[in-house]
PDB file of all heavy atoms in Angstrom:
ATOM      1  N   LEU S 193     -30.755 -25.438  66.692  1.00  0.00           N
ATOM      2  CA  LEU S 193     -30.897 -26.349  67.826  1.00  0.00           C
ATOM      3  C   LEU S 193     -29.795 -26.085  68.860  1.00  0.00           C
ATOM      4  O   LEU S 193     -30.046 -26.032  70.066  1.00  0.00           O
ATOM      5  CB  LEU S 193     -30.832 -27.793  67.318  1.00  0.00           C
ATOM      6  CG  LEU S 193     -31.340 -28.891  68.237  1.00  0.00           C
ATOM      7  CD1 LEU S 193     -32.743 -28.593  68.746  1.00  0.00           C
ATOM      8  CD2 LEU S 193     -31.336 -30.226  67.491  1.00  0.00           C
ATOM      9  N   ILE S 194     -28.581 -25.873  68.373  1.00  0.00           N
ATOM     10  CA  ILE S 194     -27.470 -25.613  69.294  1.00  0.00           C
ATOM     11  C   ILE S 194     -27.645 -24.254  69.973  1.00  0.00           C
ATOM     12  O   ILE S 194     -27.431 -24.119  71.172  1.00  0.00           O
ATOM     13  CB  ILE S 194     -26.120 -25.739  68.557  1.00  0.00           C
ATOM     14  CG1 ILE S 194     -25.882 -27.224  68.237  1.00  0.00           C
ATOM     15  CG2 ILE S 194     -24.970 -25.165  69.396  1.00  0.00           C
ATOM     16  CD1 ILE S 194     -24.617 -27.530  67.493  1.00  0.00           C
ATOM     17  N   ARG S 195     -28.107 -23.271  69.194  1.00  0.00           N
ATOM     18  CA  ARG S 195     -28.363 -21.959  69.801  1.00  0.00           C
ATOM     19  C   ARG S 195     -29.407 -22.084  70.915  1.00  0.00           C
ATOM     20  O   ARG S 195     -29.283 -21.494  71.996  1.00  0.00           O
ATOM     21  CB  ARG S 195     -28.847 -20.974  68.724  1.00  0.00           C
ATOM     22  CG  ARG S 195     -28.874 -19.528  69.184  1.00  0.00           C
ATOM     23  CD  ARG S 195     -29.198 -18.587  68.037  1.00  0.00           C
ATOM     24  NE  ARG S 195     -30.549 -18.810  67.534  1.00  0.00           N
ATOM     25  CZ  ARG S 195     -30.866 -18.883  66.248  1.00  0.00           C
ATOM     26  NH1 ARG S 195     -29.953 -18.748  65.318  1.00  0.00           N
ATOM     27  NH2 ARG S 195     -32.122 -19.082  65.880  1.00  0.00           N
ATOM     28  N   PHE S 196     -30.431 -22.894  70.650  1.00  0.00           N
ATOM     29  CA  PHE S 196     -31.472 -23.121  71.654  1.00  0.00           C
ATOM     30  C   PHE S 196     -30.887 -23.807  72.898  1.00  0.00           C
ATOM     31  O   PHE S 196     -31.093 -23.346  74.027  1.00  0.00           O
ATOM     32  CB  PHE S 196     -32.581 -23.979  71.036  1.00  0.00           C
ATOM     33  CG  PHE S 196     -33.576 -24.521  72.017  1.00  0.00           C
ATOM     34  CD1 PHE S 196     -34.534 -23.687  72.578  1.00  0.00           C
ATOM     35  CD2 PHE S 196     -33.567 -25.863  72.378  1.00  0.00           C
ATOM     36  CE1 PHE S 196     -35.458 -24.188  73.488  1.00  0.00           C
ATOM     37  CE2 PHE S 196     -34.484 -26.364  73.289  1.00  0.00           C
ATOM     38  CZ  PHE S 196     -35.430 -25.525  73.840  1.00  0.00           C
ATOM     39  N   LEU S 197     -30.135 -24.879  72.674  1.00  0.00           N
ATOM     40  CA  LEU S 197     -29.567 -25.621  73.810  1.00  0.00           C
ATOM     41  C   LEU S 197     -28.661 -24.726  74.645  1.00  0.00           C
ATOM     42  O   LEU S 197     -28.606 -24.850  75.873  1.00  0.00           O
ATOM     43  CB  LEU S 197     -28.811 -26.859  73.312  1.00  0.00           C
ATOM     44  CG  LEU S 197     -29.715 -27.951  72.721  1.00  0.00           C
ATOM     45  CD1 LEU S 197     -28.873 -29.009  71.989  1.00  0.00           C
ATOM     46  CD2 LEU S 197     -30.579 -28.599  73.792  1.00  0.00           C
ATOM     47  N   ASP S 198     -27.962 -23.812  73.972  1.00  0.00           N
ATOM     48  CA  ASP S 198     -27.108 -22.865  74.696  1.00  0.00           C
ATOM     49  C   ASP S 198     -27.917 -21.966  75.629  1.00  0.00           C
ATOM     50  O   ASP S 198     -27.389 -21.456  76.612  1.00  0.00           O
ATOM     51  CB  ASP S 198     -26.331 -21.983  73.711  1.00  0.00           C
ATOM     52  CG  ASP S 198     -25.150 -22.723  73.094  1.00  0.00           C
ATOM     53  OD1 ASP S 198     -24.745 -23.768  73.661  1.00  0.00           O
ATOM     54  OD2 ASP S 198     -24.648 -22.274  72.043  1.00  0.00           O
ATOM     55  N   ARG S 199     -29.181 -21.752  75.280  1.00  0.00           N
ATOM     56  CA  ARG S 199     -30.013 -20.856  76.098  1.00  0.00           C
ATOM     57  C   ARG S 199     -30.746 -21.579  77.226  1.00  0.00           C
ATOM     58  O   ARG S 199     -31.311 -20.936  78.104  1.00  0.00           O
ATOM     59  CB  ARG S 199     -31.044 -20.152  75.206  1.00  0.00           C
ATOM     60  CG  ARG S 199     -30.461 -19.055  74.326  1.00  0.00           C
ATOM     61  CD  ARG S 199     -31.565 -18.233  73.680  1.00  0.00           C
ATOM     62  NE  ARG S 199     -32.422 -17.576  74.662  1.00  0.00           N
ATOM     63  CZ  ARG S 199     -33.610 -17.048  74.381  1.00  0.00           C
ATOM     64  NH1 ARG S 199     -34.090 -17.093  73.154  1.00  0.00           N
ATOM     65  NH2 ARG S 199     -34.331 -16.473  75.325  1.00  0.00           N
ATOM     66  N   VAL S 200     -30.780 -22.915  77.164  1.00  0.00           N
ATOM     67  CA  VAL S 200     -31.543 -23.662  78.173  1.00  0.00           C
ATOM     68  C   VAL S 200     -30.700 -23.849  79.432  1.00  0.00           C
ATOM     69  O   VAL S 200     -29.591 -24.367  79.362  1.00  0.00           O
ATOM     70  CB  VAL S 200     -31.968 -25.046  77.621  1.00  0.00           C
ATOM     71  CG1 VAL S 200     -32.703 -25.848  78.697  1.00  0.00           C
ATOM     72  CG2 VAL S 200     -32.840 -24.888  76.380  1.00  0.00           C
ATOM     73  N   PRO S 201     -31.239 -23.421  80.587  1.00  0.00           N
ATOM     74  CA  PRO S 201     -30.454 -23.581  81.824  1.00  0.00           C
ATOM     75  C   PRO S 201     -30.257 -25.061  82.161  1.00  0.00           C
ATOM     76  O   PRO S 201     -31.073 -25.895  81.779  1.00  0.00           O
ATOM     77  CB  PRO S 201     -31.312 -22.885  82.886  1.00  0.00           C
ATOM     78  CG  PRO S 201     -32.612 -22.556  82.269  1.00  0.00           C
ATOM     79  CD  PRO S 201     -32.528 -22.765  80.791  1.00  0.00           C
TER      80      PRO S 201
END
Side-chain angles (χ1 to χ4, degrees):
L193 197 52
I194 289 179
R195 192 173 65 225
F196 168 74
L197 291 168
D198 283 343
R199 286 191 60 195
V200 177

